[in-house]
């Protein structure tokens, strides 16, 4: 049974945040989180393994910002292939004995369309380079996540389609209900296999997706709420129990792929895994 087949039979549980986990381990906020797939692979592998132990059936690579535009801010713009290939390999190694799916994580470029044009940046070429490297590393599922601009998301989606027929999940980071139906319709028309939202709080994700008149599989990767600064550290308000309750409500509303975003860790995923198991028919 492959990823899309399994989604038809049961909800699938994804992992939680990678970045906040690495920062909690002491990695400096100004550092390049994606580069440590090469320089400190055990840190990244360890995060993957903790999510798998918590019950995740889908894990995403530590490659969210590993495109040439974002990597240029750290002087790594010529290491796109190396970093993304390494990210894919680490996740594959962690998942090898579990049967979990490995998704190549691709985020937005971090610049506007006007800025890209002014700098002579071909956005499609940038996405082609990153997604190609993730595919070379063994990913057969792509997550396009945390996109604010639907047009940019469609550029990334078309780039993926030109490279491989594997499934793709397209996720918007928006808390504007009025935007979602039209955006989802455009993504479905462009043959996104799974669409949804991420990086919004659980209640917002529920409001955004529950009212959608959309027959295809939906995804939600909620954050743990808006962080607060306490003693110099960012603290997210949603406890594992609260996160699990919102996640269960999303699944009951029709979401098939569920996981966490900023501020969620293995404890949040473990709580959601338990809630899903207890709610399963015949439990």
């Amino acid at each position: 049974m492959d990823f899309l087949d399994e989604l038809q039979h049961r909800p699938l549980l994804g992992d939680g945040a990678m970045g906040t986990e690495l920062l909690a381990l002491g990695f400096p906020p100004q550092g390049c989180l994606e580069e440590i797939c090469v320089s400190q692979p055990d840190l990244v592998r360890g995060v993957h393994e903790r999510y798998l132990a918590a019950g995740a059936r889908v894990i995403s690579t530590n490659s969210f910002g590993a495109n040439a535009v974002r990597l240029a801010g750290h002087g790594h713009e010529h290491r796109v292939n190396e970093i993304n290939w390494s990210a894919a390999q680490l996740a594959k190694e962690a998942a090898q004995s579990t049967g979990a799916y490995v998704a190549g994580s691709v985020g937005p470029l971090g610049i506007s369309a006007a800025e890209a044009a002014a700098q002579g940046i071909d956005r499609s070429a940038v996405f082609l380079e990153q997604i190609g490297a993730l595919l070379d590393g063994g990913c057969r599922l792509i997550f396009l996540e945390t996109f604010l601009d639907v047009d940019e998301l469609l550029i990334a989606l078309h780039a993926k389609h030109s490279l491989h027929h594997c499934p793709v999940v397209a996720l918007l980071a928006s808390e504007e209900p009025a935007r979602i139906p039209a955006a989802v319709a455009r993504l479905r028309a462009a043959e996104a296999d799974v669409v949804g939202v991420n990086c919004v709080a659980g209640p917002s994700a529920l409001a955004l997706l529950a009212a959608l008149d959309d027959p295809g599989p939906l995804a939600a990767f909620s954050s743990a709420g808006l962080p607060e600064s306490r003693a110099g550290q960012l603290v997210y308000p949603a406890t594992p129990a609260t996160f699990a309750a919102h996640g269960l409500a999303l699944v009951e509303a029709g979401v098939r792929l569920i996981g966490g975003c900023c501020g969620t860790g293995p404890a949040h995923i473990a709580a959601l895994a338990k809630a899903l198991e207890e709610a399963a028919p015949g439990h």
Side-chain angles (χ1 to χ4, degrees), residues 12-16 51 55-59 143 221 257-260 269:
L12 278 178
L13 178 60
D15 58 7
Y51 279 125
R57 292 276 296 120
V58 185
I59 59 171
F143 275 14
F221 283 72
L257 177 61
I258 187 82
I269 298 305

Side-chain angles (χ1 to χ4, degrees), residues 213-229:
D213 181 18
D214 183 88
L218 295 172
F221 283 72
S222 303
S223 71
L226 293 174
E228 303 170 0
S229 181

